[in-house]
């Protein structure tokens, strides 16, 4: 029930998409490796320079002098052009980022982004998760499955006028929202006449601008190579969000198309996609202080929220969310205890919940460490004073009012989510909603329930079987209903309480329903609403009963969203004018579209007297080695380190092979797998995470502590050569080796 | 029963003496303060240079080129002369180190070294611990009490010949030990004819050499100034051994003497001691990589132990010790629970035990992290091969034999300590032993029981009342007896079991004894052995009963010590020859005598990707602030930081006032309060601790991770000026301020 951004991308993504691959950065510089490295201090303190900004490529020419200043030699104009190198090599996997590294559609991304493809090809006999996988020939490449897709952004058009023109200012929020949605859907439909493409019209600057993004969607994507997860996921959940880090989070996919060169369903007849562009890989390496460029598809940030919204998140939303997750995890643990099969079934749910919990706790820790709301207060007061000077105080009063309504409704939506915290009920509601929406012409259907969304809905309803046990679902829902009952009555959506089952009725419901069976669940797709209304399945019946309340809540959401979409763009326009008056360009919040950020390789001081980064080394892998997952070191890797077979991949200053490094680039979830490029636009690393201290970056970019974590490409190349012997891929890529 | 080194210093010391103030170091260099500091990396890796070595001052000329290389401009020859500046300004407090900083006997040392003096002058009304203390005039200076003494080393003579000449190689270990002890005592007695002096004849290189140290003992020492313990002990036990650290661990004392200039008992008529020498204080500060000199009285190291001894400590001694302390702490907690007065009574015991536990765990962690025994194996094998080449293999076989006996006896001594783990029984045994020893001529008495020791023994027996509750002592002993009963019978000293009381007899013993009363306890001093033998006090009676077994164990210890004293010096001579053949001088293990070490200001990498140090800043104090001890920040300090009133004490590179810093100097317990000097011999800091990662330095100096923690003198001066307004002392000292 949490509302989606209008025109946002729908594809189902690995659960980590907004949790790993969240990242950042700034200036500063120390390279160190114990005492063997002479690092000299020269001169005194210089001003800190923020590397904040997830820029739309077309904005880069405005930043030309800044890029030059940090040492980027590639012209900003070149980076602004999506049809030219290197931007035309940057692709999306739908939730992760990636890039072409050969003219034959070879794609490099994170190990965790290709995990689904690795997992679906693994069996007890051929365990590619633990053993890794390498296709020595194209014929050996394995199907990535329906969730492994490559999106190549081909066109980005500003369609703001078409979305917003002649909107009657007197429209209600709901009417305005509906009209904007209809225009967005029309723009998408117009673009998707060629089924090879997937289009979206996301809002920028919270609705000030709309761009239509046209992406070639390649749907035959194969697994080419992945190291063992003991390399690709070394440190696992324990090291998630942590530094020091020594994770080889990389893997290779290949995009395939029909013989006609157009996207096609998976088929042995397909041929490698001839990528127009690819990145050159540089094994020359970076050192501390070197500039980097990072391009990818960051998911979502909230950098322009009001101080009141920060306080709401900090004081209300996050604490409640953390408490709910902790309680839910306890219930899952108790309900699956003693049944290993059930534990396995819920392992990924638990992992996902824990990951969100760690992020939520990181946000709360970050807010406790630094009073971001107070910092925003100062900025907000300055903006308001400036706006007042322009004689337009109404806007901000109106903004405060609508934002206040939004926060109040968010609390009700959270309560609603508690009341309906059952995977089975969610499935039933989705099915009935789909039936209702399909009564309308496709263009008028709710986004997410159009024909174009059907395959994703079906996949979601099918996938449930992998992580569902009726008795566990029942226990989770029962506990959630008890939590719901403790929520302040004023916050519970009106009229809902009476519709909910009593806790002691749940057992009978789970006994009577047929929805636990995947085939039975899927069989409801295509049935008309009347079939639902006459069904005796208790979950279907409940979904029907709850429909009006759900819709009422959604209408209130639409009303508020419509008002937000009307007011916030005016606010953002004021922010942009204000910043412009200070000579500063403004980047829009992340919205899963292609962005470029830049920064430098740099460590950070999480606390007085302590410095983290910027590099880790292969020796650090042995430091962390235990005989237990996730710190098991594969024997071949251990041997290569032990024998110091570093060859050309040895960093001269470090005296060994670097594994991960930190940069000050501005990233977030969705940036997983993003290309990290050197000043010439050559691939030198892959983005895969950010530090725990950086988690609050989604709200506020703190130059001093925000750092993104990258795999050093030298580690990837070295493991491919010395451990996995992936010589075929090393040959296929264009690798620039350092001069001897 | 643990044996004391022959001729060692006896004075009672603050419990931290061998636990805090344990330190070290090496080369490397990074100064950082988040991203505002530009630190550039120049060039590639250089060889690590060990700053290992606690050198006897007379050895320094051998290291002249090394001192020059790191940037020390003061000539090594000058440092070698105890009668010249700056060495003549370095003093001992008996367990801590200190230095004169004015011609009027003003002494600067650590806050924790003057803690006893601060505590004894504090009352509920005038709480100098929390409020700090500043004497604005000499008249306001407060008595330091009998444990606050200043020792000025005036003469160091090599008396090896007199201790070792004409020793019959055929003597039994015990006879040899007795003869050496007798000679040492004679040398001490001869030196102490002038009661103004305290003399000692400690062994160097484990008995290869003996030096007679003659120290002026000043016994009227007054408290001049101490900051609040919220500055002087900021971080408390939580930060003990930790970095980052922000502790203002400094305080000032003043030495007073009679009008004739000679040491005198405390009296209002005394006058400040006219110190011949004092250190100039430099507020110019250090930066990363700068050289430092450190002079003080390190207590005890074990750098020349055999690999077998390291394994014994690692695998047998430390695990047993840690288990015993943990068990004992549990017993104390249970026995004092619910009685706040008892908890206070045992607070310092608990603190002391915890401190030893942390050190022991640090040792075990360090041994687990790095296989020091294996490193020593390599060195040992090389030495043995070299020794074999000289045709002298017998020595090493003999050494292994005696060391084996020593380790076996150590296990029995540890068992004995468990059996007698009662403060009351220990007191009774001390009293009876004193009575027995006093039957002999003074010169023949056991060291520790001579006339010269009497005041220390009395002080110890008196001090017990501050940390003793009969029922708690009973509970501790009872638990220790149960642990003793579980020790392998072969390890329990022969014949002792039958002498020990049954656990259920303890209650009656504590009921019947009069020794819990301090006056009654002290009344036994001077009584003859017959009075003990006929006493019905159960503890006195038990002490008499255990006497023979105690003596038997001691005789076996003397036998082994005598053998060790015969064999180990030959081994050390071989080590010295061997090192000499490689052009390396050899420093003796620390033995509480004046030593000089040097190093550089430098951070360290405790783990791959993580760097600690070298500086912390006043901002770090606010980072750690809580409203709870030990992280309460005094308002005046908070205000000074908030207003950035840094003035001349601001470090240009850091942009703020540094608080603590790390250096690579080689230190250990006893170095607390040691002067940290710049290349010109000016005071720039006070040593006060070492990092947790450095704890194993007592066994092995690991250049990469061993670091000492110092108070930056700029923090001390800044707090004195801005917070405590100690302008009188700032005037009295000679402070060199940086040029504007």
């Amino acid at each position: 029930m949490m509302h989606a951004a209008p025109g946002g991308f729908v594809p189902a993504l690995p659960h980590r998409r907004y949790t790993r691959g969240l990242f950042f950065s700034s200036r500063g510089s120390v390279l160190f490796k114990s005492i063997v490295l002479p690092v000299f201090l020269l001169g005194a303190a210089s001003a800190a320079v923020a590397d904040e900004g997830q820029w739309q490529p077309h904005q880069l020419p405005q930043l030309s002098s800044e890029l030059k200043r940090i040492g980027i030699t590639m012209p900003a104009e070149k980076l602004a052009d999506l049809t030219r190198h290197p931007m035309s090599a940057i692709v999306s996997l739908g939730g992760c980022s990636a890039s072409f590294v050969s003219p034959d559609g070879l794609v490099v991304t994170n190990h965790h982004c290709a995990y689904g493809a690795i997992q679906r090809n693994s069996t007890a006999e051929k365990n590619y998760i633990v053993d890794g996988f390498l296709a020595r020939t194209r014929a050996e490449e394995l199907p990535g499955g329906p969730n492994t897709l490559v999106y190549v952004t081909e066109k980005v058009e500003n369609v703001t006028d078409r979305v917003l023109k002649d909107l009657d200012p007197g429209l209600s929020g709901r009417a305005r929202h509906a009209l904007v949605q209809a225009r967005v859907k029309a723009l998408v439909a117009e673009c998707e006449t060629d089924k090879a493409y997937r289009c979206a019209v996301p809002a920028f600057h919270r609705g000030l601008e709309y761009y239509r993004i046209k992406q070639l969607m390649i749907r035959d994507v194969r697994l080419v190579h992945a190291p063992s997860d003991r390399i690709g996921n070394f440190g696992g959940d324990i090291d998630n969000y942590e530094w020091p880090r020594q994770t080889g989070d990389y893997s290779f996919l290949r995009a395939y198309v029909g013989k006609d060169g157009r996207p096609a369903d998976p088929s042995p007849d397909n041929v490698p996609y001839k990528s127009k562009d690819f990145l050159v890989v540089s094994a020359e390496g970076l050192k501390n202080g070197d500039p980097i460029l990072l391009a990818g598809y960051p998911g979502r940030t909230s950098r322009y929220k009001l101080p009141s919204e920060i306080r709401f998140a900090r004081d209300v939303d996050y604490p409640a969310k953390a408490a709910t997750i902790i309680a839910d995890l306890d219930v899952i643990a108790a309900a699956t205890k003693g049944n290993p099969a059930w534990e396995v079934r819920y392992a990924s749910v638990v992992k996902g919940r824990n990951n969100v919990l760690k992020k939520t706790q990181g946000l709360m820790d970050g807010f406790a460490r630094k009073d971001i709301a107070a910092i925003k207060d100062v900025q907000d007061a300055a903006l308001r004073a400036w706006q007042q000077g322009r004689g337009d105080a109404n806007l901000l009063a109106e903004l405060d009012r609508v934002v206040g309504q939004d926060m109040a409704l968010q609390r009700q939506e959270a309560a609603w989510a508690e009341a309906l915290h059952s995977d089975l009920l969610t499935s039933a509601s989705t099915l009935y909603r789909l039936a209702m929406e399909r009564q309308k012409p496709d263009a008028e259907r709710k986004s997410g329930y159009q024909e174009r969304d059907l395959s994703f809905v079906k996949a979601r309803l099918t996938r449930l079987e992998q992580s569902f046990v009726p008795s566990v679902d029942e226990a989770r829902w029962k506990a959630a209903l008890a939590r719901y009952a403790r929520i302040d009555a004023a916050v519970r959506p009106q009229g809902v309480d009476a519709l909910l089952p009593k806790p002691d009725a749940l057992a009978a419901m789970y006994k009577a329903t047929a929805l636990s069976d995947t085939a039975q669940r899927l069989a409801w797709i295509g049935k008309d609403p009347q079939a639902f209304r006459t069904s005796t399945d208790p979950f279907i019946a409940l979904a029907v009963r709850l429909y009006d309340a759900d819709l009422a809540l959604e209408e209130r959401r639409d009303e508020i969203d419509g008002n937000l979409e009307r007011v916030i763009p005016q606010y953002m326009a004021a922010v942009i004018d204000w910043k412009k008056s200070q000579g500063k360009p403004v980047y829009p919040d992340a919205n899963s579209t292609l962005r470029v950020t830049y920064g430098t390789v740099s460590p950070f001081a999480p606390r007085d007297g302590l410095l983290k980064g910027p590099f880790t080394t292969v020796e650090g892998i042995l430091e962390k080695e235990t005989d237990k997952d996730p710190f098991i070191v594969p024997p071949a890797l251990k041997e290569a380190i032990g024998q110091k077979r570093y060859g050309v991949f040895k960093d001269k200053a470090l005296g060994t092979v670097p594994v991960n490094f930190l940069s000050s680039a501005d990233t977030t979830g969705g940036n997983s797998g993003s290309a990290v490029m050197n000043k010439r636009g050559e691939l030198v690393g892959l983005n895969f995470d950010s530090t725990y201290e950086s988690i609050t970056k989604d709200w506020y970019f703190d130059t001093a502590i925000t750092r993104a974590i990258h795999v050093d490409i030298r580690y990837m190349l070295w493991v491919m050569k010395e451990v996995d012997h992936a010589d075929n891929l090393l040959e296929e890529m264009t690798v620039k080796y350092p001069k001897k």
Side-chain angles (χ1 to χ4, degrees), chain A:
Chain A
M1 189 73 206
M2 287 294 142
H3 60 290
F9 294 100
V10 186
L13 306 172
H15 72 259
R16 273 173 169 159
R17 64 169 157 162
Y18 292 114
T19 52
R20 294 185 81 170
L22 298 159
F23 337 97
F24 293 66
S25 161
S26 201
R27 192 132 341 263
S29 290
V30 178
L31 170 58
F32 69 91
K33 176 60 189 165
S34 174
I35 53 143
V36 298
L37 287 182
V39 181
F40 300 100
L41 177 74
L42 300 175
S46 75
V49 178
D51 297 330
E52 176 177 353
Q54 296 167 337
W55 305 97
Q56 291 173 275
H58 74 75
Q59 293 184 295
L60 290 172
Q62 297 174 62
L63 296 153
S64 175
S65 64
E66 182 61 12
L67 290 171
K68 268 185 207 144
R69 197 190 56 72
I70 68 163
I72 301 287
T73 54
M74 167 162 287
E77 289 67 28
K78 216 175 149 188
L79 290 164
D81 189 344
L82 296 183
T83 64
R84 284 176 70 189
H85 179 80
M87 294 307 288
S88 50
I90 308 300
V91 299
S92 166
L93 303 182
C96 275
S97 303
S99 37
F100 285 123
V101 284
S102 94
D104 290 329
L106 186 66
V107 164
V108 67
T109 187
N110 287 152
H111 184 274
H112 77 267
C113 293
Y115 192 75
I118 303 165
Q119 193 173 31
R120 77 189 301 279
N121 285 293
S122 292
T123 60
E125 294 74 41
K126 296 181 301 178
N127 190 339
Y128 299 136
I129 297 173
V130 173
D131 301 333
F133 171 76
L134 173 65
R136 302 209 166 272
T137 64
R138 303 251 161 113
E140 287 176 17
E141 294 174 357
L142 297 170
N147 293 321
T148 307
L149 299 163
V150 167
Y151 298 86
V152 187
T153 299
E154 292 203 345
K155 197 170 175 188
V156 176
E157 302 164 82
N158 188 331
V159 292
T160 310
D161 283 350
R162 291 184 61 186
V163 175
L164 300 180
K165 75 167 168 219
D166 302 333
L167 280 179
D168 180 350
L171 285 176
S172 73
R174 204 181 142 206
R176 190 187 192 281
H177 183 69
L179 191 51
V180 165
Q181 282 299 300
R183 289 175 177 181
V184 161
K185 281 186 278 192
L187 281 161
V188 167
E190 172 186 297
C191 175
E192 287 184 353
T193 48
D194 182 343
K195 292 297 163 205
Y197 290 92
R198 183 88 183 160
C199 301
V201 181
F204 288 73
H205 298 296
R206 303 182 77 179
L208 180 65
E209 293 178 345
Y210 289 83
Y211 287 80
R212 180 162 62 186
I213 319 285
K214 185 177 182 183
Q215 297 183 317
L216 188 72
M217 183 172 77
I218 301 178
R219 51 192 195 271
D220 183 354
V221 180
R222 304 186 193 167
L223 179 64
V224 177
H225 171 50
S228 161
D229 74 338
R230 289 169 183 179
I231 291 170
N233 191 29
F234 184 73
D237 283 353
I238 294 173
D239 273 1
N240 191 17
Y241 287 121
E242 300 294 340
W243 180 272
R245 193 72 161 274
Q246 293 89 358
T247 309
D249 199 350
Y250 65 87
S251 63
F252 289 86
L253 303 170
R254 192 185 303 279
Y256 277 80
V257 290
K259 290 212 167 83
D260 58 357
R262 288 171 50 82
D265 285 335
S267 156
D269 296 336
N270 288 342
V271 296
Y273 172 69
K274 294 288 169 192
S275 28
K276 274 182 297 194
D277 188 20
F278 63 91
L279 297 182
V280 167
V281 176
S282 170
E284 291 170 321
L286 296 174
K287 60 182 191 312
N288 186 42
D290 277 353
I292 61 132
L293 285 164
L294 191 152
Y297 292 79
R300 190 76 52 211
T301 54
S302 306
R303 299 272 174 79
Y304 302 99
K305 295 267 182 177
L306 301 185
S308 60
E309 291 177 285
I310 293 177
R311 291 193 169 89
F312 173 75
R314 183 189 70 188
D315 303 332
V316 179
D317 190 34
Y318 291 147
K321 191 174 178 181
T324 292
I325 296 176
I326 290 166
D328 191 34
L329 285 169
D330 283 349
V331 172
I332 295 173
T336 57
K337 199 177 171 177
N339 190 323
W342 292 3
E343 282 173 10
V344 167
R345 202 78 67 80
Y346 277 86
S348 71
V349 174
V350 167
K351 200 175 164 118
R353 297 290 272 172
N354 267 319
N355 198 35
V356 174
L357 180 61
K358 187 162 188 179
K359 176 162 182 180
T360 306
Q361 284 170 332
L363 283 159
M364 293 193 292
D365 282 354
F367 283 138
R369 199 172 50 231
K370 191 153 200 162
D371 193 347
I372 292 173
I375 294 169
K376 292 268 186 175
D377 279 341
V378 174
Q379 295 173 2
D380 191 62
L383 170 68
R384 281 167 196 258
W386 180 83
Q387 180 76 354
Q388 202 94 33
R390 304 207 301 181
D392 189 2
N394 279 354
L395 164 64
L396 292 164
E398 170 71 354
L399 178 67
D400 290 339
R401 197 182 59 80
V402 182
V403 162
Q405 290 173 342
D406 174 52
M407 294 187 296
L409 183 59
Q410 279 188 49
R411 295 187 66 177
Q412 296 202 10
E413 289 167 335
W416 176 258
E418 284 285 44
L420 274 56
H421 188 60
S422 151
D423 285 333
L424 225 46
L425 180 57
T426 304
S427 297
S429 295
T430 299
L431 288 163
Y432 183 54
R433 181 67 183 264
L434 187 64
M436 292 295 283
E437 293 294 329
R438 294 186 84 180
Q439 303 293 102
K440 310 177 198 167
D442 191 58
E444 290 171 26
R445 292 180 198 160
K446 176 87 180 171
S447 175
Y449 295 93
Q450 295 182 282
E451 286 303 320
R452 68 194 284 272
D453 303 314
L454 204 60
S455 63
F456 296 105
V457 171
K458 206 179 267 182
R460 209 160 59 233
L461 289 168
T462 307
R463 220 171 31 241
L464 179 62
E465 66 190 10
Q466 296 166 17
S467 55
F468 172 80
V469 172
S471 64
V472 179
D473 197 52
E474 180 187 332
R476 294 177 75 190
W477 190 18
K478 196 165 185 172
L481 282 172
R483 293 196 298 272
Y484 174 79
R486 285 194 298 273
I487 294 174
D488 188 350
V491 176
R492 291 184 233 153
Q494 230 179 344
V496 170
D497 293 17
L499 303 174
L500 295 172
K502 297 279 164 277
D504 52 13
L506 298 195
M509 287 179 69
Y510 278 87
K511 204 162 279 170
T513 187
L515 284 188
S516 300
D517 180 79
T518 301
Q520 299 257 22
R521 209 160 48 235
L522 294 176
W524 281 95
I525 296 176
K527 290 196 185 165
D528 65 19
Q530 193 52 32
F532 285 81
R533 283 181 211 125
T534 55
S535 169
T536 55
D537 188 292
F539 282 89
I540 295 291
L542 181 59
V544 171
R545 212 155 66 229
L546 287 168
Y547 181 76
D548 288 343
D550 193 359
L551 224 61
L553 203 58
E554 189 172 297
E555 281 169 10
R556 288 171 59 203
R557 167 50 60 203
D558 287 349
E559 171 68 21
I560 286 170
D561 278 358
N563 286 329
L564 286 169
E565 286 158 24
R566 180 171 45 78
V567 181
I568 285 188
Q570 297 174 56
Y571 169 73
M572 285 307 302
V575 169
I576 292 168
D577 278 1
W578 179 54
K579 292 277 186 183
K580 202 171 178 182
S581 76
Q582 302 163 35
K584 294 176 188 160
V586 175
Y587 61 93
D589 267 323
N591 60 356
S592 296
T593 62
L594 183 56
R595 302 293 180 92
V596 177
T597 174
Y598 57 87
T600 52
V601 177
S602 69
F604 74 107
R607 282 193 294 151
D608 183 42
L610 198 65
L611 193 75
K612 290 186 166 186
F615 286 98
T616 55
T617 69
V618 290
E619 279 70 22
I621 295 168
L622 300 188
E623 253 178 46
K624 285 192 184 166
E625 185 187 17
T626 64
D627 56 352
K628 276 192 301 213
D629 189 50
F631 296 108
I632 298 168
V633 181
L637 175 61
K638 197 169 171 178
E639 186 191 289
I641 300 170
Q643 297 178 351
K644 296 188 184 295
R645 301 202 309 263
Y646 302 148
V648 73
F649 304 106
K650 177 161 117 177
D651 181 280
K652 281 201 184 109
L654 297 167
T656 181
V657 179
V659 178
N660 292 158
F661 65 98
L662 297 175
S663 90
S664 61
D666 186 352
T667 62
T668 190
N671 271 125
S672 281
S674 291
V676 179
M677 295 172 280
N678 65 14
K679 61 183 176 184
R680 293 182 297 273
E682 295 156 352
L683 190 71
V684 289
L686 297 178
N687 183 62
F688 74 99
D689 203 357
S690 67
T691 62
Y692 189 77
E693 292 83 355
S694 305
I695 289 180
T696 45
K697 72 191 167 330
D698 280 1
W699 292 86
Y700 171 73
F701 189 92
D702 186 344
T703 299
I705 56 161
T706 307
R707 294 294 179 277
I709 307 178
H710 314 305
V711 185
D712 195 300
I713 213 79
R714 290 170 287 183
Y715 180 61
M716 180 184 92
L717 297 171
W718 178 72
V719 173
M720 287 172 74
K721 181 170 189 295
E722 292 291 337
V723 178
D724 288 326
H725 311 295
D727 302 280
N728 53 327
L729 299 179
L730 292 169
E731 286 289 313
E732 181 178 347
M733 293 188 288
T734 303
V735 183
K736 274 175 69 175
Y737 291 98
K739 291 172 199 96
K740 294 259 163 97

